[in-house]
């Protein structure tokens, strides 16, 4: 199970936790273009991506603003809505056909209660999420468009072929025209 393999790269996963995860997680398949979580709905699950690519985006004046991408061996959710149990302002959409493992909020809370190592795992995943979020904010505030593109291309090169130019430009906080110019220069 790819989820167990991934978690084992972060913590030691006990045989009991392995068996429990097999019982309580939900395998889900979604098609390219499907919406996994709708804007203004509740986000009651976190998803581990076995195969495929998803993105989170917001609407601003009828324009989609891509906030993040998640691909194989990454987690995807609207973290604010997932944690606070409030509705989300974010939409999560499959950019490719995807195989996901869904972990509902209530299941995750039970895992935290019954398997101590999952609390450590949750802390590590949250810390990594926070680091990525702060790096993104600093990049948007202090890096040039070209520097943001270069970092994106170096850290997630496969996304250059898997996501549309408009989605990548939106994620980088630039126009599609600026992105095309930057790519032509490289």
């Amino acid at each position: 199970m790819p989820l167990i393999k991934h978690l084992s790269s972060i913590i030691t996963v006990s045989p009991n936790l392995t068996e429990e995860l097999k019982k309580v997680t939900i395998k889900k398949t979604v098609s390219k273009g499907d919406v996994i979580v709708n804007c203004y709905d509740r986000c009651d699950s976190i998803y581990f991506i076995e195969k495929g690519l998803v993105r989170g985006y917001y609407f601003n004046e009828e324009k989609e603003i891509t906030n993040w991408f998640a691909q194989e061996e990454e987690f995807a959710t609207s973290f604010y809505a997932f944690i606070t149990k409030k509705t989300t302002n974010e939409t999560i959409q499959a950019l490719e056909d995807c195989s996901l493992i869904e972990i509902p909020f209530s299941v995750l809370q039970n895992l935290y209660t019954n398997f101590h190592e999952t609390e450590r795992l949750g802390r590590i995943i949250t810390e990594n999420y926070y680091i990525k979020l702060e790096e993104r904010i600093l990049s948007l505030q202090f890096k040039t468009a070209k520097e943001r593109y270069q970092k994106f291309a170096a850290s997630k090169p496969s996304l250059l072929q898997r996501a549309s130019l408009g989605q990548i430009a939106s994620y980088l906080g630039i126009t599609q025209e600026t992105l095309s110019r930057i790519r032509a220069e490289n």
Side-chain angles (χ1 to χ4, degrees):
M1 181 177 199
L3 175 62
I4 304 298
K5 182 180 175 191
H6 178 73
L7 298 181
S8 295
S9 73
I10 302 170
I11 63 163
T12 301
V13 178
S14 69
N16 288 342
L17 177 56
T18 298
E19 287 308 309
E20 186 67 14
L21 285 168
K22 288 177 182 176
K23 283 190 254 178
V24 298
T25 56
I26 304 160
K27 285 199 144 249
K28 187 172 187 168
T29 303
V30 294
S31 298
K32 179 179 179 174
D34 284 356
V35 171
I36 300 164
V37 176
N38 257 314
C39 179
Y40 306 121
D41 284 349
R42 290 181 50 137
C43 181
D44 294 324
S45 294
I46 189 167
Y47 302 90
F48 178 77
I49 303 168
E50 289 187 309
K51 179 179 123 344
L53 175 66
V54 302
R55 73 174 175 134
Y57 67 92
Y58 297 94
F59 284 103
N60 183 23
E61 299 175 7
E62 302 301 315
K63 191 171 156 186
E64 293 178 3
I65 308 296
T66 298
N67 191 39
W68 53 266
F69 295 99
Q71 59 188 336
E72 291 84 5
E73 296 189 9
E74 293 181 337
F75 289 94
T77 192
S78 177
F79 273 99
Y80 177 82
F82 181 71
I83 293 166
T84 63
K85 307 306 294 163
K86 295 181 179 178
T87 58
T88 183
N89 292 323
E90 188 172 36
T91 299
I92 301 176
Q93 177 189 38
L95 297 180
E96 299 174 347
D97 292 346
C98 295
S99 296
L100 308 172
I101 297 176
E102 181 178 359
I103 305 169
F105 182 86
S106 59
V107 167
L108 184 59
Q109 296 309 306
N110 285 334
L111 291 171
Y112 286 159
T113 300
N114 296 317
F115 298 91
H116 179 69
E117 66 263 43
T118 59
E119 287 185 313
R120 181 169 181 264
L121 177 67
R123 179 183 52 81
I124 292 168
I125 290 170
T126 303
E127 288 171 353
N128 288 331
Y129 174 79
Y130 177 80
I131 289 166
K132 287 179 185 176
L133 180 62
E134 187 157 327
E135 286 174 348
R136 177 157 161 70
I137 290 168
L138 292 173
S139 177
L140 288 169
Q141 289 182 323
F142 299 111
K143 301 288 183 193
T144 66
K146 186 174 185 175
E147 290 169 330
R148 291 194 303 270
Y149 172 77
Q150 288 171 334
K151 182 175 181 185
F152 179 80
S155 64
K156 299 210 179 226
S158 72
L159 293 186
L160 296 175
Q161 281 73 48
R162 297 171 74 186
S164 75
L165 284 182
Q167 292 161 351
I168 293 169
S170 169
Y171 174 78
L172 295 172
I174 59 178
T175 65
Q176 197 166 334
E177 293 76 20
T178 299
L179 178 58
S180 293
R181 265 195 312 278
I182 291 169
R183 286 173 54 119
E185 293 171 9
N186 286 336

